[in-house]
Amino acid sequence: MRKKIVAGNWKMNLTYSEGVSLAEEICKRLNEAGVKNLDLMPEVLFFPPYIHLSQVTKISEGLKGVFSGAQNCHTEPKGAYTGEISAPMIKSTGATHVLVGHSERRAYFGEDDQMLVAKVKAALENELIPVFCCGEKLPEREKENHFEVVRAQIENGIFWLDETGFENVVIAYEPVWAIGTGVTASPEQAQEMHAFIRKLIKEKYGDDLAEKTTILYGGSCNPKNAASLFSQDDVDGGLIGGASLKADDFIEIIKSF
Ligand code: 13P
């Protein structure tokens, strides 16, 4: 069975102490809820800001099935890139994952396919699991161009990998029109796109790998809609923004499987 994951992308929110308290609170409550043995739960991932990462990783390490990652990484391992953070630095905190190609980075920081290929490569070379994000904008869906947009993002971003590399990638489908808007994709819309992505993987890498690949949904996922989204055959969990900033909401979402 493929891995189920609930991941919290904190984006540029929470001070250091607020972030540490949130991670402590969530881990404490998962523990109290008797889910020490998280085998029955989805894997839980925190994506805090860089400066919180080391401490959040220490907190996560106390609980089985809980991990952390960075929201971005640079393509180069080191050098004169003031203000940037490299994959080896992320790895050195004990973090295990990194988001690559979030739509906010594509839109606000000019990240293009070529850069994302280099970031996926940097992540895998440093034994970090890239969570590769894709998703169409509203006008693209309105023109019924959404499948082609997502196909191009996936083909250009990750289909250059060999099977061994691809095995270590998680995909997150996040329609841009659903991010931070309160408008969620319907379970049917999410399932339709996830099934399409899985079909692309099947055609490229075969049945086995397609069946094993975890595909997360992101975009206004909350405690009310998580269960219906997660019940879809090809939706393997969620990448949660706003609702991951409140312990109650995030825990409810984790329990939605
Ligand atoms: P929201 O859950 O706030 O819509 O954000 C989703 C997201 O972008 C997660 O990466």
Side-chain angles (χ1 to χ4, degrees):
M1 218 178 69
R2 56 184 169 260
K3 196 174 280 178
K4 308 289 183 188
I5 298 175
V6 174
N9 174 10
W10 296 359
K11 308 192 179 184
M12 196 176 73
N13 291 297
L14 307 177
T15 62
Y16 179 78
S17 62
E18 286 167 349
V20 167
S21 302
L22 177 65
E24 280 174 348
E25 176 70 12
I26 291 168
C27 287
K28 183 172 132 241
R29 287 174 43 190
L30 287 175
N31 212 6
E32 281 168 3
V35 288
K36 257 192 203 125
N37 181 343
L38 289 173
D39 286 347
L40 294 177
M41 299 285 288
E43 201 168 275
V44 175
L45 306 179
F46 294 117
F47 289 97
Y50 286 130
I51 59 163
H52 309 34
L53 186 58
S54 180
Q55 190 57 27
V56 169
T57 299
K58 280 199 188 80
I59 296 164
S60 329
E61 279 169 354
L63 211 58
K64 195 176 164 202
V66 183
F67 303 95
S68 65
Q71 297 172 16
N72 177 35
C73 71
H74 196 266
T75 54
E76 296 300 318
K78 61 178 179 174
Y81 300 100
T82 302
E84 288 296 315
I85 306 283
S86 73
M89 292 173 188
I90 294 165
K91 181 71 182 174
S92 73
T93 66
T96 47
H97 292 66
V98 60
L99 296 181
V100 177
H102 192 284
S103 63
E104 287 150 16
R105 297 221 49 95
R106 292 180 195 252
Y108 307 140
F109 302 96
E111 297 199 355
D112 58 13
D113 288 340
Q114 199 187 344
M115 192 185 286
L116 300 183
V117 165
K119 290 189 177 197
V120 168
K121 191 160 178 277
L124 290 171
E125 279 173 0
N126 289 282
E127 294 174 352
L128 291 168
I129 296 172
V131 178
F132 183 82
C133 305
C134 59
E136 81 285 358
K137 301 189 188 92
L138 186 57
E140 293 165 339
R141 179 165 280 263
E142 285 172 343
K143 279 190 225 135
E144 298 191 359
N145 209 16
H146 44 299
F147 292 114
E148 282 320 303
V149 168
V150 169
R151 177 206 294 273
Q153 289 172 337
I154 292 202
E155 285 182 351
N156 297 338
I158 47 181
F159 274 9
W160 57 274
L161 288 163
D162 63 15
E163 286 184 15
T164 317
F166 193 84
E167 228 171 33
N168 291 304
V169 174
V170 170
I171 295 173
Y173 168 59
E174 300 201 303
V176 178
W177 47 271
I179 296 179
T181 57
V183 180
T184 319
S186 67
E188 295 74 23
Q189 285 173 320
Q191 168 58 25
E192 189 184 29
M193 183 59 85
H194 284 225
F196 173 75
I197 294 170
R198 204 175 303 285
K199 184 167 143 279
L200 293 178
I201 302 169
K202 197 181 270 193
E203 285 162 6
K204 171 78 181 168
Y205 295 101
D207 285 6
D208 231 34
L209 212 45
E211 277 309 308
K212 272 194 220 153
T213 305
T214 298
I215 308 176
L216 308 179
Y217 168 79
S220 298
C221 187
N222 61 42
K224 288 205 176 82
N225 58 33
S228 58
L229 286 160
F230 298 171
S231 68
Q232 302 298 309
D233 280 354
D234 290 291
V235 178
D236 305 312
L239 180 53
I240 320 298
S244 72
L245 300 172
K246 292 189 198 117
D248 285 347
D249 288 357
F250 195 55
I251 297 217
E252 275 310 304
I253 294 172
I254 294 168
K255 288 181 176 169
S256 297
F257 270 104

